[in-house]
Amino acid sequence: MTNALLSRAMSGTVDPPLLPLPDRVVELLSELGGPPRLAAHLRAVHDVAHQLVVWAEQRYPGLAFDREAVLFGAATHDVGKTVYVSELSGPGAAHEEAGQALLLGHGVSPELARFAATHASWARSRVGLEDLLVSLADKIWKNKRVPELEDLVVARLAEATGRAVWEEFIALDEILARIGDGADERLAFQASFPVHA
């Protein structure tokens, strides 16, 4: 039953419709015996990251960023919670470095493994746009607005396009509001899976 729940959380047909996790992440979570609720969370954040990436590609066709890194980072950002399961339902940051180490130990490149450690430390100087997008997806999936994070994203977009900050703020605010409207369904999806495998 647990394997069926994990499989459904990662890639089964669900309501709301969410993109399945990438095959590489499915294999990793299966191998680690990841909790179904963690898989559901990663899937919801991955889906939101995909929406952000599509928006960015359409609005900013010349914007240089690594689409696949954002999607992989969103799909694995909390993988350390396979070790620190209590952090699925309570506070804690031990999963961040543990997740990065776990990914590195499973052959994931440092460039992709970093998201497990950077998704909660976006205020550090000069994190990449990819890191900011993963962090943003990890907030907006549940409709949590973090002005400091959003300001960093807006600044990067304005810098890249040469457009006014206020113009980029309005554009980002619109997409975040649209994505945030689906938060209740994503939260219900995540809550429908058990914390413990």
Side-chain angles (χ1 to χ4, degrees):
M1 180 62 141
T2 300
N3 287 342
L5 282 174
L6 180 60
S7 179
R8 183 173 174 270
M10 294 187 294
S11 55
T13 302
V14 295
D15 186 29
L18 297 171
L19 291 173
L21 286 171
D23 291 343
R24 186 174 182 193
V25 178
V26 168
E27 291 169 15
L28 179 65
L29 289 175
S30 297
E31 183 180 323
L32 295 171
R37 183 165 298 172
L38 172 62
H41 170 69
L42 293 174
R43 185 173 179 184
V45 174
H46 172 261
D47 187 82
V48 166
H50 184 265
Q51 292 178 58
L52 288 172
V53 163
V54 168
W55 170 79
E57 289 172 337
Q58 290 173 350
R59 180 167 168 82
Y60 311 99
L63 183 64
F65 72 99
D66 187 336
R67 172 190 219 279
E68 294 310 313
V70 172
L71 296 177
F72 186 83
T76 59
H77 73 282
D78 274 347
V79 74
K81 291 183 181 181
T82 59
V83 177
Y84 293 96
V85 178
S86 65
E87 293 184 15
L88 272 171
S89 56
H95 73 277
E96 294 164 16
E97 285 187 31
Q100 184 176 25
L102 192 103
L103 290 170
L104 290 170
H106 280 82
V108 175
S109 71
E111 294 78 26
L112 293 178
R114 77 177 194 263
F115 296 103
T118 64
H119 71 275
S121 56
W122 42 264
R124 278 196 257 160
S125 63
R126 297 311 292 175
V127 296
L129 179 59
E130 294 85 357
D131 303 87
L132 294 175
L133 291 173
V134 170
S135 298
L136 191 58
D138 191 33
K139 299 298 183 192
I140 202 62
W141 80 276
K142 60 183 174 182
N143 203 20
K144 182 174 183 179
R145 301 295 298 261
V146 182
E148 298 85 2
L149 173 58
E150 294 173 24
D151 288 347
L152 290 172
V153 174
V154 165
R156 294 288 175 88
L157 296 175
E159 181 182 313
T161 64
R163 291 194 282 249
V165 169
W166 66 265
E167 188 177 345
E168 298 307 337
F169 172 81
I170 290 171
L172 183 65
D173 184 63
E174 286 175 1
I175 187 65
L176 296 183
R178 190 172 335 128
I179 292 171
D181 286 344
D184 289 344
E185 291 83 6
R186 289 187 295 268
L187 285 162
F189 165 72
Q190 177 182 287
S192 71
F193 292 93
V195 170
H196 299 284

